Amino acid sequence: MPRLRVIHESWPSAGSFRISRGAKTSAEVVVVELEQDGVKGRGEGVPYSRYEESIPQVMAALEGARERIERGCARKDVPDLVTPRAARNALDCALWDLEAKLTGTPVWRLAGLAPPEPLVTAYTLVLDTPENMGMAARQASARPLLKLKLGGEGDEKRLRLVRDAAPQCRLIVDANEGWTAEMLPRLLAVCAEARVELVEQPLPAGQDEALRGLDRAVSICADESVHDRDGLRALLGKYDAINIKLDKAGGLTAALDLAREARRQGFTIMTGCMLSTSLAMAPAMLVAQLGSLTDLDGPFLLVKDRVPGIIYSGSRMEPPPRELWG
């Protein structure tokens, strides 16, 4: 039977990671480590205040389930063991990793997937003044795909300056629920002029009914409005795409279920992440193999990453080393 360790780790960010709801200066993560027969499986979760989760809450939930976990649990048991989705994610991914290492079978094969291929990830430009975002875009203009964090006031100027500074880059936008229905027509028109391919969560999740049937020149992607496959039906007619994050879904198992059902229903799939390390990116890369947009640049934004970590060559990320995960 496995032995459980629950660890809080803090990874300083390379700068202030600012979005419409606030700023972070570090990635605060919870790591689940399961050890059995001298083999360790790990998973990383990021408690997120947007979903009323905290480090103490997630750690307490995992500790409260210690006896049942150490008696031996399967991935199907995870939703019944802990409530916080970040806790489910860390535990679920640790169970996948442990099984892979105990059996010598990579996770992609255990999950019935094809071998993972390298991916091109978006590179995030954090919310800042229009002028600073323009300068950041110029510095990143050799990257193929940029993701702009926007927040409402000043976004039209931000879009224009970024497009002028990086004329060849593909652009996607993340408003993080920072727009209003009144702003939407004008800002979507500016996005279309700037050749933005996708706008992520423009309106607050509880106010997104305004998107239903909206005539749009740019695809709209659900982030805070979708967590798992049970929420997909409510998105029909409002969103064209979904952003799958393992911390929202509650682990790799649930994220794969969501991705497969979303494909069946015709949604474009983007795979995203919280501010976190390569240990969180590794399982997300398997989900990203099923989608068309990847936003797994968390380690870019940290002062340092895990060793070994995922190898990034510019915006190209290689499949994770087995020593890291999977």
Side-chain angles (χ1 to χ4, degrees), residues 160-267:
R160 296 190 190 283
L161 289 180
V162 166
R163 174 46 81 200
D164 288 346
Q168 303 305 317
C169 292
R170 297 168 60 205
L171 298 181
I172 55 179
V173 157
D174 186 2
N176 283 115
E177 303 180 281
W179 294 357
T180 66
E182 292 72 26
M183 294 176 179
L184 202 57
R186 179 59 186 157
L187 286 175
L188 286 179
V190 176
C191 284
E193 292 171 16
R195 306 194 311 280
V196 170
E197 296 181 13
L198 175 142
V199 175
E200 192 179 339
Q201 199 68 45
L203 302 179
Q207 301 171 27
D208 61 1
E209 190 62 28
L211 298 174
R212 189 175 301 279
L214 179 72
D215 187 27
R216 67 200 65 178
V218 180
S219 293
I220 298 179
C221 177
D223 183 359
E224 287 84 356
S225 287
V226 64
H227 300 87
D228 51 38
R229 63 178 294 168
D230 293 339
L232 280 175
R233 184 174 298 276
L235 306 183
L236 293 171
K238 294 192 290 187
Y239 293 96
D240 311 292
I242 64 167
N243 186 345
I244 299 177
K245 295 175 180 173
L246 272 65
D247 281 303
K248 290 191 304 173
L252 176 62
T253 303
L256 288 172
D257 286 345
L258 173 57
R260 288 164 174 149
E261 180 61 19
R263 289 178 67 175
R264 191 187 71 78
Q265 294 194 27
F267 290 102

Side-chain angles (χ1 to χ4, degrees), residues 1-6 32-37 61-74 77-78 81-82 91 95 98:
M1 296 295 105
R3 289 182 297 167
L4 170 70
R5 286 186 70 210
V6 183
V32 166
E33 183 179 281
L34 298 174
E35 183 173 358
Q36 182 174 332
D37 301 330
L62 289 161
E63 291 291 354
R66 174 181 292 276
E67 182 179 353
R68 292 179 64 189
I69 293 169
E70 292 188 337
R71 282 205 309 263
C73 65
D77 302 320
V78 169
L81 289 174
V82 286
L91 178 57
L95 287 166
L98 181 64

Side-chain angles (χ1 to χ4, degrees), residues 33-52:
E33 183 179 281
L34 298 174
E35 183 173 358
Q36 182 174 332
D37 301 330
V39 174
K40 294 179 181 179
R42 297 184 302 165
E44 178 177 311
V46 183
Y48 196 36
S49 60
R50 168 64 178 78
Y51 302 117
E52 300 181 348

